[in-house]
Amino acid sequence: MHPTRTDDRPATEPSRIEVALGERAYPVLIGPGVRHRLPAEVARIGARRVVVVSARPAEWTPDPGVPHRVVPARDGEHDKTLSTVEQLCREFADFGLTRSDAVVSCGGGTTTDVVGLAAGLYHRGIAVIHLPTSLLAQVDASVGGKTAVNLPEGKNLVGVYWQPRAVLCDTEHLGTLPEREWRNGYGEIARAHFIGAGDLRDRPVDEQIAACVALKAQVVAADERDAGLRHILNYGHTLGHALEIATDFRLRHGEAVGIGTVFAGRLAGILDRIDARRVVEHREVVAYYGLDTALPAGVDHDELIALMRRDKKATSGLSFVLDGPTGPDLVADVPESAVRAALAGM
């Protein structure tokens, strides 16, 4: 059964969720047509000129209402590099952006990440507004200020924290997505089930997005820079990131996180942190969203373990965010034998 994508409710005002970071607080608006609020958000922050970096066609790239340049981009992990960031910064310089101006991203999660990093570095930081156009980007990547690019050695190893000034999650964009991109987003929604968002199955997609954003906003407000609580947002990501690299990104991020979520449940069971029923629940929730629950054929367990040792959270041996009696926690120094047993069971 597929989660509900739309419903017949009358149109209402968009959902508004505030990311409470004091003077750097910003709104996340969720609903149909919110991309058309871009000029108002640009005016609110006082930007005089804007560069719009868009991975979407012209008809889906809104006018920011001030003098601007549109720079085309491509979604996808292979463009998530420092060289792409340099190219964007040179576009900003060529257009004459100053610290009083702004950058707008319009695209999926990789575009959001790369544009956010470029904005955070250019002139040591200029304003950025995100218009996430994929389900994955709307439920996760666009909110929270984490920006990063990949190295051959690992995912998201080079980045900065740079909060946006606004996020506009236009659900009309989702109607343009192919089926696989829906699954890509569902991987993050499935993961959210186990970190406090509640059971989002059978909920309309705008409610699923709002629940995930509200959870992330709460966590980010409490722990902006990953000192503790924010680790829970990486649920399923340690194996997920390793699978993306090991498959040369043939697995999309959300697809890999779905498998990583099943693995996290299995590993927590092996470590006696959760009971067998909760282990099964991990697999059932991920499968409900149409995602694979087994490792792809041909991946090498030794390679996956080596990649997981390089994960950003792995400051002490193999480290994973795992479910437990009091909820998810970062667990360090997990025995390699337990990790291998969990992989073998996949």
Side-chain angles (χ1 to χ4, degrees):
M1 179 181 177
H2 245 310
T4 309
R5 293 187 184 174
T6 57
D7 58 19
D8 297 322
R9 293 172 301 168
T12 59
E13 279 294 295
S15 299
R16 180 187 176 99
I17 295 164
E18 195 82 8
V19 182
L21 290 170
E23 293 180 354
R24 292 176 296 108
Y26 57 92
V28 182
L29 302 179
I30 303 160
V34 298
R35 68 188 183 281
H36 300 303
R37 298 187 180 219
L38 178 60
E41 292 302 318
V42 169
R44 179 179 64 83
I45 67 175
R48 296 174 297 182
R49 290 158 65 82
V50 166
V51 169
V52 180
V53 183
S54 180
R56 293 296 177 263
E59 62 268 25
W60 286 99
T61 303
D63 187 325
V66 296
H68 65 282
R69 172 183 290 183
V70 177
V71 175
R74 292 190 308 175
D75 276 328
E77 295 286 345
H78 289 291
D79 282 336
K80 195 173 163 183
T81 63
L82 282 169
S83 63
T84 303
V85 172
E86 179 184 1
Q87 291 166 17
L88 290 177
C89 288
R90 293 186 68 179
E91 291 277 3
F92 302 164
D94 185 65
F95 190 58
L97 287 191
T98 70
R99 285 183 179 174
S100 62
D101 298 320
V103 179
V104 171
S105 76
C106 182
T110 53
T111 296
T112 299
D113 262 14
V114 173
V115 175
L117 179 55
L121 295 175
Y122 182 73
H123 281 318
R124 299 188 180 91
I126 66 172
V128 63
I129 295 173
H130 293 314
L131 274 68
T133 62
S134 70
L135 183 59
L136 176 77
Q138 292 189 5
V139 299
D140 185 54
S142 61
V143 179
K146 276 190 176 180
T147 74
V149 294
N150 303 332
L151 297 177
E153 290 76 14
K155 279 260 302 179
N156 297 334
L157 293 183
V158 179
V160 299
Y161 291 92
W162 190 246
Q163 299 292 346
R165 300 293 296 275
V167 180
L168 305 178
C169 297
D170 193 330
T171 52
E172 289 180 356
H173 275 129
L174 303 181
T176 69
L177 297 181
E179 184 68 24
R180 192 174 182 192
E181 273 305 311
W182 280 91
R183 290 200 303 273
N184 198 19
Y186 287 143
E188 292 285 3
I189 293 173
R191 167 225 52 162
H193 179 107
F194 298 100
I195 60 173
D199 192 345
L200 301 178
R201 292 173 287 184
D202 294 325
R203 299 268 293 275
V205 70
D206 58 332
E207 292 183 16
Q208 292 174 328
I209 296 167
C212 290
V213 169
L215 171 65
K216 188 165 188 180
Q218 179 183 5
V219 171
V220 169
D223 177 22
E224 182 179 4
R225 292 180 173 255
D226 252 347
L229 177 64
R230 189 165 178 168
H231 290 317
I232 70 169
L233 298 176
N234 286 305
Y235 202 86
H237 282 61
T238 304
L239 177 61
H241 285 164
L243 284 169
E244 287 181 82
I245 296 167
T247 62
D248 195 28
F249 300 107
R250 289 189 301 278
L251 270 183
R252 304 280 178 89
H253 177 71
E255 294 170 332
V257 167
I259 296 169
T261 297
V262 177
F263 166 82
R266 187 173 288 274
L267 181 58
I270 288 170
L271 297 175
D272 292 324
R273 292 178 56 84
I274 59 175
D275 60 22
R277 180 199 56 78
R278 184 69 164 172
V279 174
V280 170
E281 185 179 346
H282 280 70
R283 181 178 53 77
E284 288 178 345
V285 168
V286 171
Y288 173 87
Y289 289 100
L291 294 151
D292 288 336
T293 60
L295 290 175
V299 293
D300 182 79
H301 293 190
D302 290 338
E303 180 185 9
L304 293 177
I305 289 170
L307 288 166
M308 288 190 285
R309 287 190 184 279
R310 290 205 292 263
D311 186 85
K312 298 185 301 301
K313 298 182 299 302
T315 54
S316 179
L318 285 160
S319 302
F320 300 89
V321 179
L322 298 176
D323 200 3
T326 59
D329 259 322
L330 181 63
V331 181
D333 289 317
V334 175
E336 184 176 317
S337 59
V339 175
R340 288 188 180 277
L343 289 172
M346 301 278 293

